[in-house]
Amino acid sequence: MHGPAWPAWLLVALCAATGAYCLLRMRSGVEEQRRAAGGEALMGFGMAAMAVPATVFSPPGWAWPLYAAVFGAAALRAVWAARASPHHLHHLVGTGAMVYMSLTMALSPTAHHHAHAGTGVPLVTGALLLYFTGYVLLSGARLVPVAAAGGTGAVASGTGAAAGGTGTATGGADATAVRWGDRPELARACRLSMGIGMVAMLLAM
């Protein structure tokens, strides 16, 4: 990305941290969670790599077609998975956006640089911006009540554990550790972070 370095590094940190958490979610005991987390981890780390300031690292020309191929394969996987869960349609849009940005950079006269203003097809960029902006707003609105309900449940669980004694408290702690990768508010926060990152990257095009 072009422009001031510190916003780009913030975006790198956000996307990399999101990708790392998604790797942890792949330890979930729920198969659907593991599949979704794997695709989201790929998105997070891919976005982090794309957001590295151009003054620090400019990828070689072959990197962008490679990006497009990797995320194109991920998009095909999302199409297949969407038959069972409509949630994967969002993954399809996300991987499609990554393919679009990669191809834009590959076809740009300055393909060795990162995304910068003036590249891409305005109609496609605008449509993706509209989608991800709406997704961020909707996800943020949904995240607040989920987080509040999780906090209330945690208080109730803690009260019950205290009444049940030390053994119950230990069991509750173990159950919480097992459920860590399956907590819905953290999964939504992960997707919200990637949505914010996608908006920032599309605005830079």
Side-chain angles (χ1 to χ4, degrees):
M1 291 183 66
H2 286 252
W6 67 266
W9 284 121
L10 285 177
L11 183 57
V12 170
L14 174 67
C15 295
T18 301
Y21 173 68
C22 289
L23 286 180
L24 294 179
R25 287 174 54 216
M26 291 181 68
R27 300 174 61 185
S28 168
V30 182
E31 183 178 0
E32 180 63 23
Q33 280 276 20
R34 293 196 301 270
R35 289 179 179 177
E40 290 165 1
L42 176 65
M43 284 283 297
F45 288 123
M47 291 170 63
M50 289 182 106
V52 173
T55 54
V56 176
F57 174 71
S58 293
W62 54 262
W64 299 117
L66 178 62
Y67 264 64
V70 170
F71 286 103
L76 292 177
R77 181 176 179 272
V79 170
W80 182 263
R83 300 181 310 152
S85 174
H87 167 72
H88 289 280
L89 291 175
H90 173 69
H91 292 165
L92 176 60
V93 177
T95 52
M98 293 294 285
V99 171
Y100 164 67
M101 289 189 289
S102 300
L103 290 177
T104 298
M105 293 301 97
L107 298 175
S108 172
T110 55
H112 60 284
H113 291 299
H114 290 253
H116 60 281
T119 59
V121 181
L123 184 60
V124 177
T125 304
L128 289 172
L129 266 174
L130 184 63
Y131 172 82
F132 282 104
T133 300
Y135 180 83
V136 166
L137 295 175
L138 184 60
S139 296
R142 288 178 174 176
L143 183 62
V144 174
V146 170
T152 303
V155 171
S157 175
T159 304
T166 305
T168 305
T170 303
D174 291 341
T176 300
V178 171
R179 294 193 303 266
W180 184 258
D182 298 324
R183 294 178 64 177
E185 71 275 15
L186 294 181
R188 288 183 180 179
C190 175
R191 296 174 189 129
L192 175 63
S193 298
M194 286 193 289
I196 293 172
M198 190 65 75
V199 169
M201 294 178 70
L202 288 168
L203 284 174
M205 294 191 70

